[in-house]
Amino acid sequence: MIKKLRLGVLASGGGTNLQAIIDRCTDGSLSAEIALVLSNVPGAGALVRAETAGLATCCLDHRSYPDRESFDRAVVKTLHDAGVELVVLAGFMRIIGEAFVAAFPQRIINIHPALLPAFPGLHVQRKALEYGARFAGCTVHFVDGGVDTGPIIVQAVVPILDDDTEAALAARILVQEHRIYPQAIQLIAEGRLRLEGRRVIIDSPPPSPVAALINPPLP
Ligand code: GAR
């Protein structure tokens, strides 16, 4: 029986990734419990989802702090007070400062709606579409000092279709986000990840995935 990992989920938006994690904790497929849901946006959908699930919530509005450092300090204190072991950024639209990263070494993860290292930053589904890429996807990675630069844990790939809109592509990616974020958290809960340089090595990995994806498919 694996001890449940105590999660602190940080979210700024609607919270569908949070919901996926809540659901996997509830059905027992994730060996984790959500100690706290924290948002920087008053009234965020993620806070409503957390309250509906009976979880502890906290809202720290970044606009009430004079600078990033003081906001980060308040967030770190709140997470420590809640006994958080793993910080899970789930649509948290704030950059994390160095002191925050240092307070949870290799214990902060993020999900990003692109196949990193392509398309870091914002509006990345639109950028992948405009670039003419044939594939897009999502990435769960450890957070380091940079923007979307940390070691990659899991990625999922989706095709970009000729008639795609930004919204349609984002929705296709989001379905996969909801699958791989709980997967990555479970690997951490089971203690199966270690870093070699910036490569994340998985202990007892499942069989290799398909050899190649081609879009458009070969005839
Ligand atoms: C998700 O698509 C997530 O990957 C993205 O925000 C969305 C949040 O949706 N995060 C980022 O872009 C971080 N750079 P949700 O609130 O429904 O989980």
Side-chain angles (χ1 to χ4, degrees):
M1 174 81 177
I2 300 168
K3 179 186 166 293
K4 284 188 178 176
L5 186 66
R6 286 176 69 78
L7 310 179
V9 181
L10 274 53
S12 305
T16 65
N17 276 290
L18 166 68
Q19 190 66 53
I21 296 164
I22 292 172
D23 293 346
R24 297 289 81 75
C25 288
T26 304
D27 72 17
S29 58
L30 195 45
S31 313
E33 59 190 350
I34 299 176
L36 181 71
V37 175
L38 186 151
S39 183
N40 62 315
V41 178
L47 289 173
V48 177
R49 288 178 189 271
E51 280 156 17
T52 304
L55 298 170
T57 62
C58 173
C59 185
L60 299 178
D61 187 340
H62 60 279
R63 294 168 299 189
S64 312
Y65 295 82
D67 49 35
R68 185 194 316 285
E69 289 71 28
S70 53
F71 173 70
D72 278 5
R73 267 197 304 278
V75 173
V76 166
K77 182 178 185 321
T78 306
L79 294 170
H80 278 154
D81 288 350
V84 165
E85 297 169 305
L86 180 70
V87 180
V88 177
L89 308 182
F92 188 61
M93 305 313 264
R94 304 293 304 164
I95 290 172
I96 303 287
E98 270 176 31
F100 189 162
V101 174
F104 289 92
Q106 288 172 32
R107 287 274 139 178
I108 309 175
I109 59 175
N110 181 44
I111 190 152
H112 181 73
L115 288 175
L116 293 171
F119 307 117
L122 297 174
H123 311 298
V124 294
Q125 300 94 338
R126 187 197 315 160
K127 286 176 186 164
L129 204 54
E130 286 175 355
Y131 190 90
R134 290 289 186 190
F135 288 104
C138 45
T139 303
V140 181
H141 63 93
F142 286 111
V143 172
D144 61 10
V147 177
D148 303 322
T149 53
I152 292 169
I153 303 170
V154 189
Q155 291 185 305
V157 178
V158 303
I160 296 179
L161 308 179
D162 286 347
D163 59 353
D164 255 342
T165 60
E166 183 182 349
L169 178 59
R172 189 174 312 120
I173 294 170
L174 202 54
V175 171
Q176 302 308 317
E177 294 187 38
H178 299 161
R179 301 174 73 201
I180 69 170
Y181 219 0
Q183 177 194 16
I185 295 167
Q186 183 63 17
L187 286 169
I188 294 170
E190 293 175 3
R192 288 172 58 194
L193 302 186
R194 70 187 159 80
L195 277 175
E196 275 184 14
R198 55 164 296 124
R199 295 192 70 200
V200 176
I201 308 298
I202 302 175
D203 184 31
S204 309
S208 296
V210 291
L213 298 170
I214 302 175
N215 182 29
L218 292 173

PDB file of all heavy atoms in Angstrom, residues 13-18 90-93 110-113 121-122 125 148 174 177-178, ligand 1:
ATOM      1  N   GLY A  13      -7.632  28.988 -13.696  1.00  0.00           N
ATOM      2  CA  GLY A  13      -8.757  28.993 -14.623  1.00  0.00           C
ATOM      3  C   GLY A  13      -9.876  28.046 -14.241  1.00  0.00           C
ATOM      4  O   GLY A  13     -10.201  27.866 -13.062  1.00  0.00           O
ATOM      5  N   GLY A  14     -10.432  27.421 -15.278  1.00  0.00           N
ATOM      6  CA  GLY A  14     -11.624  26.601 -15.097  1.00  0.00           C
ATOM      7  C   GLY A  14     -11.407  25.328 -14.309  1.00  0.00           C
ATOM      8  O   GLY A  14     -12.350  24.788 -13.707  1.00  0.00           O
ATOM      9  N   GLY A  15     -10.197  24.808 -14.342  1.00  0.00           N
ATOM     10  CA  GLY A  15      -9.879  23.682 -13.467  1.00  0.00           C
ATOM     11  C   GLY A  15     -10.270  22.308 -13.985  1.00  0.00           C
ATOM     12  O   GLY A  15     -10.516  21.408 -13.178  1.00  0.00           O
ATOM     13  N   THR A  16     -10.274  22.108 -15.313  1.00  0.00           N
ATOM     14  CA  THR A  16     -10.612  20.751 -15.775  1.00  0.00           C
ATOM     15  C   THR A  16      -9.492  19.764 -15.450  1.00  0.00           C
ATOM     16  O   THR A  16      -9.763  18.586 -15.188  1.00  0.00           O
ATOM     17  CB  THR A  16     -10.929  20.717 -17.287  1.00  0.00           C
ATOM     18  OG1 THR A  16      -9.767  21.047 -18.042  1.00  0.00           O
ATOM     19  CG2 THR A  16     -12.072  21.652 -17.636  1.00  0.00           C
ATOM     20  N   ASN A  17      -8.238  20.223 -15.469  1.00  0.00           N
ATOM     21  CA  ASN A  17      -7.152  19.325 -15.045  1.00  0.00           C
ATOM     22  C   ASN A  17      -7.274  18.999 -13.559  1.00  0.00           C
ATOM     23  O   ASN A  17      -7.070  17.857 -13.154  1.00  0.00           O
ATOM     24  CB  ASN A  17      -5.787  19.947 -15.356  1.00  0.00           C
ATOM     25  CG  ASN A  17      -5.362  19.683 -16.790  1.00  0.00           C
ATOM     26  OD1 ASN A  17      -5.039  18.551 -17.149  1.00  0.00           O
ATOM     27  ND2 ASN A  17      -5.399  20.717 -17.608  1.00  0.00           N
ATOM     28  N   LEU A  18      -7.582  20.015 -12.760  1.00  0.00           N
ATOM     29  CA  LEU A  18      -7.846  19.752 -11.338  1.00  0.00           C
ATOM     30  C   LEU A  18      -8.931  18.690 -11.198  1.00  0.00           C
ATOM     31  O   LEU A  18      -8.802  17.750 -10.410  1.00  0.00           O
ATOM     32  CB  LEU A  18      -8.287  21.049 -10.645  1.00  0.00           C
ATOM     33  CG  LEU A  18      -8.909  20.848  -9.259  1.00  0.00           C
ATOM     34  CD1 LEU A  18      -7.889  20.357  -8.248  1.00  0.00           C
ATOM     35  CD2 LEU A  18      -9.573  22.147  -8.769  1.00  0.00           C
ATOM     36  N   ALA A  90      -1.728  23.502 -12.453  1.00  0.00           N
ATOM     37  CA  ALA A  90      -2.768  23.030 -13.371  1.00  0.00           C
ATOM     38  C   ALA A  90      -3.460  24.247 -13.970  1.00  0.00           C
ATOM     39  O   ALA A  90      -4.503  24.689 -13.490  1.00  0.00           O
ATOM     40  CB  ALA A  90      -3.764  22.137 -12.626  1.00  0.00           C
ATOM     41  N   GLY A  91      -2.821  24.827 -14.990  1.00  0.00           N
ATOM     42  CA  GLY A  91      -3.352  26.059 -15.557  1.00  0.00           C
ATOM     43  C   GLY A  91      -3.111  27.230 -14.626  1.00  0.00           C
ATOM     44  O   GLY A  91      -3.949  28.125 -14.508  1.00  0.00           O
ATOM     45  N   PHE A  92      -1.958  27.239 -13.961  1.00  0.00           N
ATOM     46  CA  PHE A  92      -1.586  28.347 -13.068  1.00  0.00           C
ATOM     47  C   PHE A  92      -0.790  29.345 -13.903  1.00  0.00           C
ATOM     48  O   PHE A  92       0.329  29.051 -14.325  1.00  0.00           O
ATOM     49  CB  PHE A  92      -0.756  27.825 -11.894  1.00  0.00           C
ATOM     50  CG  PHE A  92      -0.483  28.853 -10.836  1.00  0.00           C
ATOM     51  CD1 PHE A  92      -1.530  29.448 -10.140  1.00  0.00           C
ATOM     52  CD2 PHE A  92       0.813  29.214 -10.498  1.00  0.00           C
ATOM     53  CE1 PHE A  92      -1.298  30.387  -9.149  1.00  0.00           C
ATOM     54  CE2 PHE A  92       1.064  30.153  -9.508  1.00  0.00           C
ATOM     55  CZ  PHE A  92       0.000  30.739  -8.831  1.00  0.00           C
ATOM     56  N   MET A  93      -1.395  30.491 -14.164  1.00  0.00           N
ATOM     57  CA  MET A  93      -0.822  31.403 -15.158  1.00  0.00           C
ATOM     58  C   MET A  93       0.078  32.459 -14.518  1.00  0.00           C
ATOM     59  O   MET A  93       0.013  33.647 -14.860  1.00  0.00           O
ATOM     60  CB  MET A  93      -1.957  32.054 -15.975  1.00  0.00           C
ATOM     61  CG  MET A  93      -2.890  31.048 -16.627  1.00  0.00           C
ATOM     62  SD  MET A  93      -2.042  29.703 -17.503  1.00  0.00           S
ATOM     63  CE  MET A  93      -2.055  30.343 -19.149  1.00  0.00           C
ATOM     64  N   ASN A 110       4.347  20.819 -13.894  1.00  0.00           N
ATOM     65  CA  ASN A 110       3.454  21.678 -14.677  1.00  0.00           C
ATOM     66  C   ASN A 110       2.931  20.889 -15.867  1.00  0.00           C
ATOM     67  O   ASN A 110       3.594  19.967 -16.349  1.00  0.00           O
ATOM     68  CB  ASN A 110       4.227  22.903 -15.178  1.00  0.00           C
ATOM     69  CG  ASN A 110       3.370  23.858 -15.978  1.00  0.00           C
ATOM     70  OD1 ASN A 110       2.234  24.159 -15.583  1.00  0.00           O
ATOM     71  ND2 ASN A 110       3.868  24.336 -17.103  1.00  0.00           N
ATOM     72  N   ILE A 111       1.748  21.270 -16.337  1.00  0.00           N
ATOM     73  CA  ILE A 111       1.270  20.732 -17.609  1.00  0.00           C
ATOM     74  C   ILE A 111       1.170  21.877 -18.603  1.00  0.00           C
ATOM     75  O   ILE A 111       0.706  22.978 -18.264  1.00  0.00           O
ATOM     76  CB  ILE A 111      -0.061  19.964 -17.480  1.00  0.00           C
ATOM     77  CG1 ILE A 111      -0.356  19.232 -18.796  1.00  0.00           C
ATOM     78  CG2 ILE A 111      -1.212  20.867 -17.046  1.00  0.00           C
ATOM     79  CD1 ILE A 111      -1.184  17.989 -18.634  1.00  0.00           C
ATOM     80  N   HIS A 112       1.633  21.590 -19.820  1.00  0.00           N
ATOM     81  CA  HIS A 112       1.704  22.626 -20.849  1.00  0.00           C
ATOM     82  C   HIS A 112       1.069  22.065 -22.123  1.00  0.00           C
ATOM     83  O   HIS A 112       1.381  20.938 -22.519  1.00  0.00           O
ATOM     84  CB  HIS A 112       3.166  23.001 -21.091  1.00  0.00           C
ATOM     85  CG  HIS A 112       3.342  24.071 -22.119  1.00  0.00           C
ATOM     86  ND1 HIS A 112       3.019  25.394 -21.881  1.00  0.00           N
ATOM     87  CD2 HIS A 112       3.775  24.020 -23.402  1.00  0.00           C
ATOM     88  CE1 HIS A 112       3.263  26.099 -22.966  1.00  0.00           C
ATOM     89  NE2 HIS A 112       3.711  25.297 -23.913  1.00  0.00           N
ATOM     90  N   PRO A 113       0.200  22.852 -22.795  1.00  0.00           N
ATOM     91  CA  PRO A 113      -0.553  22.313 -23.938  1.00  0.00           C
ATOM     92  C   PRO A 113       0.206  22.365 -25.261  1.00  0.00           C
ATOM     93  O   PRO A 113      -0.323  22.834 -26.269  1.00  0.00           O
ATOM     94  CB  PRO A 113      -1.808  23.184 -23.960  1.00  0.00           C
ATOM     95  CG  PRO A 113      -1.356  24.495 -23.407  1.00  0.00           C
ATOM     96  CD  PRO A 113      -0.272  24.190 -22.404  1.00  0.00           C
ATOM     97  N   GLY A 121       5.372  29.037 -23.544  1.00  0.00           N
ATOM     98  CA  GLY A 121       4.691  30.329 -23.384  1.00  0.00           C
ATOM     99  C   GLY A 121       3.190  30.243 -23.559  1.00  0.00           C
ATOM    100  O   GLY A 121       2.572  29.239 -23.229  1.00  0.00           O
ATOM    101  N   LEU A 122       2.621  31.308 -24.139  1.00  0.00           N
ATOM    102  CA  LEU A 122       1.162  31.454 -24.192  1.00  0.00           C
ATOM    103  C   LEU A 122       0.620  31.234 -25.604  1.00  0.00           C
ATOM    104  O   LEU A 122       1.364  31.314 -26.579  1.00  0.00           O
ATOM    105  CB  LEU A 122       0.772  32.854 -23.714  1.00  0.00           C
ATOM    106  CG  LEU A 122       1.117  33.176 -22.253  1.00  0.00           C
ATOM    107  CD1 LEU A 122       0.803  34.640 -21.946  1.00  0.00           C
ATOM    108  CD2 LEU A 122       0.370  32.253 -21.288  1.00  0.00           C
ATOM    109  N   GLN A 125      -1.551  26.639 -28.720  1.00  0.00           N
ATOM    110  CA  GLN A 125      -2.319  25.863 -29.699  1.00  0.00           C
ATOM    111  C   GLN A 125      -2.417  26.664 -31.010  1.00  0.00           C
ATOM    112  O   GLN A 125      -2.258  26.115 -32.093  1.00  0.00           O
ATOM    113  CB  GLN A 125      -3.719  25.545 -29.144  1.00  0.00           C
ATOM    114  CG  GLN A 125      -3.710  24.734 -27.855  1.00  0.00           C
ATOM    115  CD  GLN A 125      -3.783  25.580 -26.607  1.00  0.00           C
ATOM    116  OE1 GLN A 125      -3.439  26.763 -26.618  1.00  0.00           O
ATOM    117  NE2 GLN A 125      -4.241  24.983 -25.515  1.00  0.00           N
ATOM    118  N   ASP A 148       8.599  26.875 -18.932  1.00  0.00           N
ATOM    119  CA  ASP A 148       8.310  25.633 -19.664  1.00  0.00           C
ATOM    120  C   ASP A 148       9.582  24.927 -20.128  1.00  0.00           C
ATOM    121  O   ASP A 148       9.618  24.337 -21.222  1.00  0.00           O
ATOM    122  CB  ASP A 148       7.389  25.919 -20.869  1.00  0.00           C
ATOM    123  CG  ASP A 148       6.088  26.594 -20.455  1.00  0.00           C
ATOM    124  OD1 ASP A 148       5.550  26.246 -19.393  1.00  0.00           O
ATOM    125  OD2 ASP A 148       5.616  27.482 -21.188  1.00  0.00           O
ATOM    126  N   LEU A 174      -6.678  18.886 -24.593  1.00  0.00           N
ATOM    127  CA  LEU A 174      -7.131  18.845 -23.193  1.00  0.00           C
ATOM    128  C   LEU A 174      -7.554  17.437 -22.777  1.00  0.00           C
ATOM    129  O   LEU A 174      -7.290  17.009 -21.644  1.00  0.00           O
ATOM    130  CB  LEU A 174      -8.283  19.832 -23.009  1.00  0.00           C
ATOM    131  CG  LEU A 174      -8.576  20.350 -21.603  1.00  0.00           C
ATOM    132  CD1 LEU A 174      -7.350  20.956 -20.938  1.00  0.00           C
ATOM    133  CD2 LEU A 174      -9.715  21.360 -21.641  1.00  0.00           C
ATOM    134  N   GLU A 177      -4.480  15.847 -21.808  1.00  0.00           N
ATOM    135  CA  GLU A 177      -3.952  16.402 -20.548  1.00  0.00           C
ATOM    136  C   GLU A 177      -4.558  15.674 -19.355  1.00  0.00           C
ATOM    137  O   GLU A 177      -3.876  15.346 -18.385  1.00  0.00           O
ATOM    138  CB  GLU A 177      -4.267  17.900 -20.455  1.00  0.00           C
ATOM    139  CG  GLU A 177      -3.557  18.755 -21.484  1.00  0.00           C
ATOM    140  CD  GLU A 177      -3.774  20.246 -21.250  1.00  0.00           C
ATOM    141  OE1 GLU A 177      -3.797  20.692 -20.091  1.00  0.00           O
ATOM    142  OE2 GLU A 177      -3.918  20.981 -22.244  1.00  0.00           O
ATOM    143  N   HIS A 178      -5.869  15.430 -19.462  1.00  0.00           N
ATOM    144  CA  HIS A 178      -6.572  14.807 -18.334  1.00  0.00           C
ATOM    145  C   HIS A 178      -6.120  13.365 -18.106  1.00  0.00           C
ATOM    146  O   HIS A 178      -6.331  12.816 -17.030  1.00  0.00           O
ATOM    147  CB  HIS A 178      -8.084  14.844 -18.584  1.00  0.00           C
ATOM    148  CG  HIS A 178      -8.612  16.242 -18.717  1.00  0.00           C
ATOM    149  ND1 HIS A 178      -9.825  16.536 -19.297  1.00  0.00           N
ATOM    150  CD2 HIS A 178      -8.069  17.437 -18.346  1.00  0.00           C
ATOM    151  CE1 HIS A 178     -10.013  17.841 -19.282  1.00  0.00           C
ATOM    152  NE2 HIS A 178      -8.973  18.414 -18.711  1.00  0.00           N
TER     153      HIS A 178
HETATM  154  C1  GAR B   1      -4.590  23.755 -19.814  1.00  0.00           C
HETATM  155  O1  GAR B   1      -4.698  23.591 -21.216  1.00  0.00           O
HETATM  156  C2  GAR B   1      -3.151  23.831 -19.405  1.00  0.00           C
HETATM  157  O2  GAR B   1      -2.315  22.979 -20.147  1.00  0.00           O
HETATM  158  C3  GAR B   1      -2.834  25.270 -19.671  1.00  0.00           C
HETATM  159  O3  GAR B   1      -3.975  25.955 -19.214  1.00  0.00           O
HETATM  160  C4  GAR B   1      -5.119  25.127 -19.382  1.00  0.00           C
HETATM  161  C5  GAR B   1      -5.863  25.059 -18.067  1.00  0.00           C
HETATM  162  O4  GAR B   1      -7.080  24.405 -18.236  1.00  0.00           O
HETATM  163  N1  GAR B   1      -1.671  25.695 -19.009  1.00  0.00           N
HETATM  164  C6  GAR B   1      -0.810  26.560 -19.532  1.00  0.00           C
HETATM  165  O5  GAR B   1      -0.976  27.077 -20.618  1.00  0.00           O
HETATM  166  C7  GAR B   1       0.402  26.865 -18.681  1.00  0.00           C
HETATM  167  N2  GAR B   1       1.399  27.515 -19.448  1.00  0.00           N
HETATM  168  P1  GAR B   1      -7.907  23.917 -16.970  1.00  0.00           P
HETATM  169  O6  GAR B   1      -8.047  25.118 -16.043  1.00  0.00           O
HETATM  170  O7  GAR B   1      -9.221  23.518 -17.557  1.00  0.00           O
HETATM  171  O8  GAR B   1      -7.167  22.782 -16.329  1.00  0.00           O
END
